Amino acid sequence: MTQDMLSFKAESRLRDLIDANSSILMTLSRFGLSLGFGNATVDEVCRAGKVHTGTFLAVCNFTSARPVAIGDVDIRALMDYLRGAHVYFLNFCIPQIRQKLISVVDYAAADSVGLVVMKFFDDYVAQVRAHMDYEDRQVFRYVDTLLAGQLPDDYNIDRFARHHDSISSKLTDLKDIIIRFVPSANGDLLNSTLFDIINCESDLQMHCRLEDRLFVPVVARLERLVAAGKYRPTSASAPDADRLAAQRLEMLSQREREVVAMVACGLSNKEIADRLCLSVHTITTHRRNIAAKLNIHSTAAMAVFAVVNKLVTIDQIKL
């Protein structure tokens, strides 16, 4: 990791992370988080989506070559992320590449380059599936045993680390074969397929590095705690969306809630001041404080907040 860039923080706006590194979009989907979060912070989005904030940040920082706080990682959340990555590769990314290859290469003749390419690719898919099935079946179950407070004597994470290898090398070979030997009447589709292969290769390399440098150290730490009798099994939980919304609403005073409702209804600062018998300066101060408390800086986002928290009805909204 390079040390010249600061780590992303829980109070950072999530959209700023995506601006800095667009691959964090994939991190979102693997954690089960969706778009549409406005100007919400990382912590707010994670809490609403029941995702461990420290783990999400660790993955984002790792994949962005920023300093990572391994001590903030929850192993359950990290395994959820890795399982999500497995689903993405096996059920979406790789099948999509295969479908494109079928469309772009000629594999009708028994001695065609296209047939070799398809066989090479299918052998590779079998290798990736076996690799990820092993992790799902053996490694993650082992970690579940650790989380239950038990330390098996027939397996450890070092054994996994010593035999863990990258699963992207065959994609590198496939890329080279296509570039050197595969002609196509549809150059755009072939190049698009090659571009997908290159992206998948890079993604798989990062996936394996994350397992080696983040997952393995975190599991090793858990092993030491269990071995020393210092780990007590607990059930992890995160605030749900309703609880998070209530927490944010509680930060506002009654007057601030009234201002939010009036802003959502389309009133200007002067109109709000007149209705509340306050000065325009006071209303401006209220709005500045509301924006700071909620991390909401647009009228539209404030209107959504007002509807979600039942300060106004959707029929009252005027933007």
Side-chain angles (χ1 to χ4, degrees):
M1 299 292 127
T2 58
Q3 299 297 317
D4 57 342
M5 289 192 293
L6 297 176
S7 299
F8 297 128
K9 302 295 184 183
E11 59 270 22
S12 303
R13 293 187 306 181
L14 184 49
R15 67 184 183 90
D16 291 339
L17 271 66
I18 295 171
D19 285 342
N21 178 10
S22 59
S23 70
I24 288 175
L25 287 169
M26 302 310 303
T27 304
L28 280 173
S29 62
R30 292 170 193 177
F31 273 109
L33 298 172
S34 61
L35 300 176
F37 42 73
N39 283 318
T41 65
V42 170
D43 189 54
E44 288 171 335
V45 175
C46 287
R47 286 178 178 272
K50 299 182 181 180
V51 170
H52 186 262
T53 302
T55 307
F56 178 81
L57 281 169
V59 172
C60 290
N61 282 318
F62 185 92
T63 55
S64 303
R66 294 169 184 256
V68 177
I70 292 181
D72 293 338
V73 174
D74 179 86
I75 189 61
R76 293 181 182 87
L78 186 56
M79 286 198 298
D80 287 343
Y81 167 82
L82 295 174
R83 288 188 179 104
H86 291 180
V87 170
Y88 166 75
F89 287 120
L90 295 176
N91 295 355
F92 178 76
C93 180
I94 290 175
Q96 187 178 62
I97 291 174
R98 190 180 193 279
Q99 192 60 45
K100 280 191 172 184
L101 282 174
I102 290 174
S103 301
V104 80
V105 301
D106 178 12
Y107 58 95
D111 58 349
S112 69
V113 174
L115 189 63
V116 173
V117 167
M118 294 307 302
K119 184 179 186 310
F120 190 98
F121 184 78
D122 287 341
D123 288 345
Y124 168 72
V125 173
Q127 174 190 335
V128 173
R129 188 173 297 279
H131 178 105
M132 294 183 175
D133 283 349
Y134 171 77
E135 292 178 359
D136 291 335
R137 184 183 67 257
Q138 175 67 52
V139 184
F140 295 162
R141 286 185 181 179
Y142 167 71
V143 177
D144 286 336
T145 303
L146 290 176
L147 289 168
Q150 303 171 33
L151 186 65
D153 57 10
D154 60 345
Y155 194 82
N156 57 55
I157 199 62
D158 182 62
R159 179 175 169 183
F160 164 74
R162 283 186 282 110
H163 298 285
H164 186 235
D165 56 352
S166 174
I167 49 178
S168 65
S169 57
K170 276 197 173 182
L171 274 186
T172 304
D173 295 336
L174 178 62
K175 176 181 64 178
D176 186 56
I177 290 171
I178 292 175
I179 290 172
R180 295 174 61 191
F181 300 113
V182 177
S184 176
N186 191 338
D188 287 340
L189 182 56
L190 180 60
N191 290 341
S192 173
T193 305
L194 187 58
F195 186 74
D196 287 350
I197 291 172
I198 292 170
N199 283 337
C200 185
E201 173 192 21
S202 176
D203 204 354
L204 281 167
Q205 287 172 343
M206 178 59 74
H207 177 79
C208 289
R209 285 199 299 272
L210 188 143
E211 287 179 326
D212 288 337
R213 302 178 192 177
L214 190 59
F215 176 68
V216 169
V218 170
V219 176
R221 180 188 63 187
L222 177 59
E223 284 179 336
R224 292 191 296 270
L225 290 173
V226 174
K230 297 180 179 179
Y231 173 76
R232 179 174 297 177
T234 58
S235 58
S237 62
D240 59 22
D242 291 339
R243 182 172 153 199
L244 177 61
Q247 288 173 344
R248 297 177 74 194
L249 187 61
E250 287 168 4
M251 291 189 293
L252 301 181
S253 68
Q254 183 58 42
R255 180 65 80 194
E256 287 171 338
R257 296 181 194 189
E258 291 173 349
V259 171
V260 169
M262 292 183 188
V263 169
C265 291
L267 275 65
S268 68
N269 285 356
K270 186 177 185 312
E271 289 171 328
I272 296 173
D274 291 342
R275 289 199 180 189
L276 297 178
C277 299
L278 298 171
S279 69
V280 173
H281 174 74
T282 299
I283 300 303
T284 301
T285 300
H286 278 315
R287 292 193 62 169
R288 184 165 55 247
N289 292 339
I290 292 166
K293 288 180 179 181
L294 302 180
N295 197 29
I296 290 177
H297 302 281
S298 72
T299 301
M302 196 172 293
V304 172
F305 177 86
V307 172
V308 169
N309 287 279
K310 298 180 173 58
L311 298 178
V312 297
T313 66
I314 195 165
D315 294 335
Q316 294 176 283
I317 295 296
K318 291 182 181 179
L319 298 178

